[in-house]
Amino acid sequence: MSCMQTPENPDPNPVVDLRCVLVGTQHPGNIGAAARALKTMGLSKLVLVAPEDFPSEEARRRAAGAEDVLENAQVFATLADAVADCRYVLGSTARGRRVQLQEHDPRDAARQLLARAVDGPVALVFGRERTGLFNEELQLCHAAVHIPANPDYSSLNLAAAVQVLAYEVRMALLAGRIVPPVANDDEHEAMASQAQLEGFFVQLGETLDDIDFHKGRNPDSAMRKLRRLFLRNSLTGKEVRLLRGVLSDAQRMAKLARMP
Ligand code: SAH
């Protein structure tokens, strides 16, 4: 992270390694308006997952001076690919409290994002205009963020939601609520990346099968709860390796037990 704001040296445009990920966006105008929303808040990393119509003239028109953000936008086929290297992924959802994830309000979310950005890239993820994020996509997130809008009419326009969350990130940056990078702190251990966590979850699923944990029940509910538990606890890369070691031994023992 290149930003260290101090009272003596206020940075007018602090930056953070944060990417705004728009998933399956249907209207190109929203992509342009999101680019503009980011740039006004001093953010520049736009990532698109399977956009329906991009590049597009409508997006450029709505970017209105933020075409550079559009031009530098990266496009991925899946959300998992788009956030594989991220240390913290927040999924934004128009429907509060309906997801099986810890939920933050925007202010708290911004603080979390900046604190985790010490270890590497972090992501704010936005869903489709019509249907939001699918459950499988929300499950890739460490936590959710909900803008506490009118409960009877809580769905903001996509680019408006980007604007609100980008504003909170900027306010947190300007307020200097940043955990300083700890380059020479031996105690500090880097958080696991999204890809490391997904590798762990795959092995956890296999191990639960190997030890017949589900006993004929549908594994989905248990896996969702376990994912939530581990995602909530901010595992470091080292801790993920330790847990995978435990799983490997359990798998080895289960295999031995199955031998005739
Ligand atoms: N009809 C969809 C809403 C989509 S709005 C649904 O019911 O889920 C498009 C995207 O904007 C959402 O997926 C979410 O990422 C963001 N968004 C809209 N309103 C929001 C709110 N109140 N809080 C957080 N994100 C919101």
Side-chain angles (χ1 to χ4, degrees):
M1 186 163 63
S2 65
C3 164
M4 267 320 300
Q5 185 193 356
T6 63
E8 306 80 54
N9 181 25
D11 183 342
N13 219 5
V15 293
V16 55
D17 191 356
L18 180 146
R19 70 189 66 157
C20 168
V21 184
L22 305 184
V23 179
T25 309
Q26 284 143 340
H27 301 295
N30 279 335
I31 298 177
R36 179 177 182 176
L38 290 176
K39 190 165 176 176
T40 56
M41 295 298 117
L43 300 171
S44 59
K45 284 196 185 158
L46 181 62
V47 170
L48 307 173
V49 173
E52 285 197 6
D53 184 4
F54 186 81
S56 104
E57 203 33 57
E58 173 70 359
R60 285 186 72 80
R61 211 173 53 73
R62 291 286 299 281
E67 291 87 349
D68 54 328
V69 175
L70 283 185
E71 272 150 27
N72 293 323
Q74 283 183 291
V75 182
F76 288 90
T78 67
L79 178 58
D81 291 340
V83 297
D85 59 333
C86 287
R87 305 292 148 164
Y88 193 62
V89 181
L90 270 184
S92 66
T93 147
R95 290 160 289 180
R97 306 262 163 236
R98 293 225 194 127
V99 289
Q100 290 241 348
L101 282 176
Q102 189 179 18
E103 190 180 288
H104 297 290
D105 67 40
R107 211 148 287 176
D108 199 23
R111 274 199 293 270
Q112 291 287 337
L113 283 164
L114 297 197
R116 313 294 181 111
V118 166
D119 282 327
V122 294
L124 253 177
V125 182
F126 296 84
R128 299 157 188 82
E129 291 90 335
R130 267 194 295 278
T131 47
L133 290 167
F134 299 148
N135 281 339
E136 312 83 73
E137 290 162 345
L138 270 171
Q139 279 184 32
L140 294 172
C141 301
H142 290 81
V145 52
H146 173 66
I147 300 163
N150 174 359
D152 298 327
Y153 190 68
S154 65
S155 179
L156 279 75
N157 162 267
L158 170 60
V162 172
Q163 186 77 73
V164 170
L165 292 175
Y167 168 74
E168 289 295 347
V169 169
R170 182 162 180 83
M171 287 303 279
L173 275 168
L174 291 175
R177 292 196 210 110
I178 303 164
V179 179
V182 272
N184 23 4
D185 177 355
D186 292 341
E187 298 289 299
H188 181 76
E189 289 179 13
M191 290 298 149
S193 69
Q194 184 62 32
Q196 278 175 308
L197 285 168
E198 285 309 311
F200 165 66
F201 288 132
V202 168
Q203 192 182 358
L204 180 60
E206 289 166 358
T207 309
L208 294 181
D209 286 338
D210 290 350
I211 63 173
D212 192 25
F213 175 79
H214 304 298
K215 303 186 182 56
R217 293 182 300 257
N218 182 343
D220 293 354
S221 159
M223 264 323 279
R224 264 202 308 277
K225 287 178 188 146
L226 286 165
R227 286 182 72 100
R228 183 186 154 115
L229 182 153
F230 285 112
L231 288 172
R232 191 175 59 223
N233 281 293
S234 329
L235 299 177
T236 64
K238 266 192 186 161
E239 287 165 340
V240 168
R241 279 197 294 280
L242 173 67
L243 284 168
R244 291 196 68 160
V246 173
L247 294 181
S248 296
D249 277 358
Q251 288 182 295
R252 192 168 48 80
M253 297 307 282
K255 198 168 167 192
L256 283 175
R258 281 196 301 273
M259 281 185 176

